Each structure stands twice: as structure tokens, then as C-alpha cells.
Amino acid sequence: MDPPSATKFDVAIVGAGPAGASAAYTLARKGFKVVVLERGRTPGSKNLFGGRVYSHPLELIFEGFKNEAPIERWTKREVLSFVTEEGIVSVEYASGSSTSFTAYLSKLSAWMASKAESAGAILVTDVRVDDILMENGKAVGIVSGGDRLYADVVVIAEGVNRLLCERRNITPQLSPEEVALGVKHVIRLGTDKINDRFGLDSNEGLAWFLIGKVTDYLPGGAFLYTNSTTVSLGIVVFLSHAMKKVKRHIYEVLEDLRTSPPFTRLLEGGSLVEYGSHLTPEAGLKMMPKKLYGDGFLIVGDAAGLLINLGYTVRGVDLAAFSGYLAAEAIEEAHSLGSYTSHNLSCYERKLNDSFVMKEMKRHDSVQKLMSKSHIFELYPQVLVGTTKRLFEFEEASPKLLEAAKESLKGKGSKFKMLLDAITLMRGP
Ligand SMILES: Cc1cc2nc3c(=O)[nH]c(=O)nc-3n(C[C@H](O)[C@H](O)[C@H](O)COP(=O)(O)OP(=O)(O)OC[C@H]3O[C@@H](n4cnc5c(N)ncnc54)[C@H](O)[C@@H]3O)c2cc1C
């Protein structure tokens, strides 16, 4: 569809990911004239994620979410595994209830965008926005392929790469320390095999995180999520470490994982239906722009650096969607004040700070920092697997728990450092 170039909109939104689509849906329902510009052929076609979303924020935003959204399975089993050459130690949690579900980001984004369209937003796909149109320091629209489209406010929902923000010096250039590279395979196995092999009932989902050897001991980890008929298997590695230390293509690291036990058996007979790679923000508060608003614009979602990686779970979609929703609320408030000045739009930051989004970002910032430290991904898998091996593999004399732990720790690192890590994990810095 061609963008309606002569028309002026109340709001132009760049990007139809969870952040942009949620902003569009909320604004359209409030009666704003909204256009969403998406460079993919369909919303979501350029998007990739691991596979699990926390549903509560989305239920607050989208009417009919639980019945209509493309939910694959409700996550009812969680596994965290520490992997070394010697073995694997896992912690498992299973429950009859669930607050998160597995999904394809492409389908979820497309569904959100269709809700926005039903509410009255105009979606224009296959259009790359080249620049934010600025006049006297104020955003007044966007530029695409030489065409100008005017709007009172621009919502920048362009995702992690944030090239538009960089071009306009709204954010500094991304550094490899701030992002991780994720690669993912989607493997079709069929519902019955998934249920049998992963011990699930239909509609029950598994979220499995692995750290250690799975990324050649680099900061990051592997993940496996079960969908209805497919499994999403991937790895994420901090880009700065990947650039310095991975001597082969990152796809080969994932291929090694897929063809190693226990995955060879679990995925046997499966066919690869999709693969892709994407960056993800990983630097917590450090990656957030100093200001998420300016004259005539707001920044939402990954572009605003809103992502939490705790090592055992990742949250990006719910934070992105809720920031889009809050941006819409802020635009409505600025509208009632009569203009979209930086001052009037600053209520967006206040709304974010008051919401779970910034409270969670702040609460977990120290753990996010820990997630970029190399020793976490080498020392702890080695010590945990080493200790467990000593406890279970003996000939006559079996060690006491403390002896086994001391033996496996020998020469591996400072106990003081481990104590500091434990304090950070439990309490913050
Ligand atoms: C490997 C990996 C695993 C992840 N796992 C999870 C997980 O399990 N759970 C979770 O909640 N989160 C996860 N995330 C994070 C999650 O995917 C993001 O936080 C979320 O998608 C951010 O939404 P967004 O709308 O801000 O950005 P995006 O989803 O990236 O959407 C941005 C949109 O903007 C469009 N766009 C960009 N530039 C332009 C332009 N110039 N013109 C027009 N359109 C443009 C893009 O095509 C895209 O559609 C993961 C991410 C990765 C990479």
C-alpha cells in the first residue's frame, strides 16, 4: 500500500513490532489519526525472538487478548541447566498455572497490528522510514524514499538497531558491549512428539535455558521453547564477546548444540522450518537514552533499551508493548495540554517510571550487569557440574556435600567473588 502522502496524521509510528503496534492500537482507540510505517512485507516479518511472553501487560492493553492472540502453549515447565563437557545439572520447576506463553513473534506482532488496524490505525508495510523529519528542532513527520509524511507526533518504535535515533543524534551509536546476537532454529516435530519427548500435555509449554558449554562459555546462553507443533532452539551471545572470542560462525555454535546430547535425541526426525538472527539490547539502564522524549517525538520498546535478561528468563515483548501503551497515554495527556512540546510529552517518562517497566528495569539492573561477566558462564557451570559429578559418581567412599563442593572449586576462582555474585543476585549491588 502507498502511504497517503498528502494527508497529515496526528501520530506517525515507525515500526509495527510489539511497541509500535500497542501504541497504534491504544491511540486509534482514543480517536487519534494514526499511521504505522513498517519496513517488513507484513508486520513481524523482520522480527525474531526466543519464544516466551509474559501475558499480563498484554491483557491490560488488548481487549480479547487471551481468546484471540496467537498463543502457542502456556508455559508450565521451566528448566535451567548448567552444561559442561562433564555433564549437565538442571533445576526444574513445574506448575499447573502459568503467567507466560510461547509464541512466534511474527504472528504475535501481526495480530497486534491487525488489532490496531481494526481500531482505525492505518498500517503501511514494505516502507522503510529513512529519517525523522525535523523543523526547528521539532519532529514533524518522517521521510521515506524522498517522500515526506507529516504528523504532530512521531513514535520511534524501530527496535534495537535504532538507526533513526542515531542519525538524529538522539542516541549515541550502539556499541557491541550493549547488545547480544541471537540465532534461532524453528524445528517442526509435531504435537505428539513434542508432548512425549518433553513430558508435556497438549497446550503445556516448556521454557528451557542453558548456560556454559552451549555458548563456548561466553556470556549468553541457549534456549528451547515448545510451540504447538514446533520447537524454537537458539543461542544468544554478547556481541563484544562473540567478536573477540568466537573463532567460527555463530551458526556453527548453534549447530553444535542441536547435534549434541540431549538435543539429538529430543529433536530426532524434526525438520528445520525457519532460521534467523537478530540483535537484542542487553545493557540494562546503561543502554537507555538519557531522554525518551523530545519536541514532537517519543521512543519506545527496544529502541529505548527496555529489556531484562535474568539468565533464566528474558522479558522484552511485554516491556515493549507496555511502553507503547504508555506513550499513547502520554500523547493523549500532551494533546489535552494543547501541544506536543518536549515539556508536555515528558509525562511519558513519569508514566514509565511509575509503571512496572522502569521499576523492573531498575530492580534487575545489577543482575543484568552480572550477565555480561565471563566468569558467571564458566565458573558456575564447572562448579555445579563438578560437585554433582563427585556426589553421584564414586567407587567406595562418597564425599560429603561440602567436600565435593570444595574439591570442584579448587583452583577455579575466588570464594569472595562468588560471595559477591550471590549477594548481587539476591539483593542487588
Ligand atoms: C534472540 C532473541 C530472543 C529473545 N527472546 C525473547 C523472549 O523469549 N521473550 C521476550 O519477551 N523477548 C525476547 N526478546 C526481545 C524481544 O524480541 C524484543 O524486546 C521485542 O521484540 C521489542 O519490540 P519492539 O517493538 O521494540 O521492536 P521489534 O520487535 O524489533 O520491532 C521493530 C519493528 O520496526 C521495524 N523497523 C525498524 N526500522 C524501521 C524503519 N526505518 N522503517 C520502518 N520500519 C522499521 C522493524 O521491521 C520491526 O518490525 C528476544 C530477542 C532476541 C533477539
Side-chain angles (χ1 to χ4, degrees):
M1 194 203 300
D2 288 331
S5 53
T7 327
K8 184 182 172 205
F9 286 87
D10 296 328
V11 188
I13 300 176
V14 185
S22 300
Y25 172 72
T26 312
L27 284 162
R29 278 171 33 115
K30 290 178 185 294
F32 285 85
K33 207 163 126 191
V34 184
V35 63
V36 187
L37 302 131
E38 166 57 49
R39 69 187 166 136
R41 279 232 172 103
T42 53
S45 58
K46 299 258 181 198
N47 302 10
L48 177 140
F49 87 145
R52 174 246 290 276
V53 180
Y54 287 87
S55 69
H56 184 67
L58 303 188
E59 287 169 40
L60 293 178
I61 302 167
F62 291 97
E63 216 172 68
F65 181 82
K66 269 195 165 165
N67 295 328
E68 295 172 26
I71 291 167
E72 292 289 315
R73 290 174 183 245
W74 286 94
T75 319
K76 298 204 173 157
R77 272 185 69 207
E78 309 271 351
V79 182
L80 174 63
S81 297
F82 300 85
V83 187
T84 72
E85 283 79 3
E86 286 189 310
I88 172 168
V89 172
S90 300
V91 181
E92 180 171 341
Y93 169 75
S95 162
S97 57
S98 174
T99 56
S100 65
F101 61 90
T102 60
Y104 298 103
L105 187 57
S106 51
K107 284 192 189 167
L108 188 62
S109 303
W111 178 82
M112 290 176 175
S114 74
K115 289 289 279 186
E117 277 187 292
S118 304
I122 293 179
L123 172 70
V124 187
T125 55
D126 229 350
V127 165
R128 198 190 67 201
V129 172
D130 299 318
D131 203 356
I132 309 290
L133 191 57
M134 304 292 279
E135 282 177 9
N136 304 319
K138 180 182 186 303
V140 293
I142 57 95
V143 183
S144 173
D147 291 330
R148 293 164 168 226
L149 187 145
Y150 286 88
D152 290 329
V153 194
V154 177
V155 177
I156 307 175
E158 61 175 329
V160 61
N161 289 326
R162 62 188 191 197
L163 298 175
L164 298 175
C165 289
E166 277 179 23
R167 172 171 288 193
R168 283 288 163 191
N169 289 323
I170 297 169
T171 56
Q173 206 178 0
L174 273 185
S175 82
E177 282 74 32
E178 292 174 330
V179 288
L181 177 66
V183 291
K184 169 177 151 177
H185 282 173
V186 177
I187 298 155
R188 186 177 309 286
L189 271 180
T191 307
D192 292 345
K193 277 188 188 152
I194 291 176
N195 293 347
D196 285 352
R197 292 181 190 178
F198 295 96
L200 301 166
D201 282 339
S202 285
N203 192 36
E204 280 184 353
L206 162 72
W208 186 359
F209 276 76
L210 304 99
I211 65 166
K213 182 179 168 281
V214 290
T215 55
D216 292 348
Y217 300 104
L218 295 177
F223 57 81
L224 182 147
Y225 297 100
T226 56
N227 303 310
S228 295
T229 59
T230 64
V231 161
S232 301
L233 176 74
I235 57 168
V236 175
V237 181
F238 276 68
L239 194 57
S240 53
H241 292 269
M243 283 161 63
K244 273 187 243 151
K245 294 188 187 146
V246 180
K247 301 277 178 268
R248 51 195 176 138
H249 199 291
I250 196 98
Y251 271 112
E252 291 172 35
V253 183
L254 175 57
E255 195 50 23
D256 267 8
L257 177 69
R258 195 178 66 80
T259 53
S260 65
F263 294 103
T264 0
R265 183 175 46 79
L266 289 170
L267 303 175
E268 196 186 331
S271 53
L272 182 68
V273 287
E274 205 181 302
Y275 68 90
S277 64
H278 206 279
L279 290 179
T280 177
E282 289 285 353
L285 298 176
K286 191 170 155 257
M287 196 190 147
M288 290 188 69
K290 287 206 170 57
K291 263 170 67 179
L292 297 174
Y293 58 90
D295 279 329
F297 72 86
L298 295 171
I299 310 171
V300 295
D302 272 11
L306 300 173
L307 186 124
I308 299 170
N309 175 3
L310 297 177
Y312 53 86
T313 194
V314 174
R315 296 176 68 178
V317 171
D318 61 327
L319 304 190
F322 211 72
S323 67
Y325 165 78
L326 292 177
E329 297 269 304
I331 288 169
E332 185 184 41
E333 194 171 317
H335 175 72
S336 71
L337 296 172
S339 67
Y340 299 105
T341 57
S342 175
H343 179 263
N344 288 350
L345 286 171
S346 66
C347 61
Y348 169 53
E349 210 154 279
R350 172 174 46 78
K351 287 175 193 296
L352 263 183
N353 280 328
D354 291 346
S355 77
F356 77 91
V357 176
M358 283 312 294
K359 287 182 185 157
E360 287 287 282
M361 286 288 295
K362 285 174 189 163
R363 196 203 319 272
H364 297 298
D365 195 49
S366 50
V367 176
Q368 294 243 89
K369 282 189 192 126
L370 210 55
M371 288 300 127
S372 65
K373 303 270 187 279
S374 297
H375 74 276
I376 298 284
F377 299 87
E378 188 155 9
L379 176 65
Y380 292 100
Q382 300 278 8
V383 170
L384 279 167
V385 175
T387 304
T388 313
K389 186 179 166 71
R390 277 161 188 77
L391 287 177
F392 288 108
E393 286 183 30
F394 53 84
E395 286 172 352
E396 286 178 352
S398 58
K400 287 181 183 169
L401 179 59
L402 204 61
E403 287 167 356
K406 271 187 187 160
E407 263 179 57
S408 68
L409 248 173
K410 218 176 271 167
K412 290 216 173 71
S414 128
K415 289 184 197 95
F416 181 64
K417 199 183 213 174
M418 291 179 84
L419 185 66
L420 284 182
D421 291 342
I423 291 170
T424 307
L425 274 172
M426 284 186 273
R427 296 187 27 215

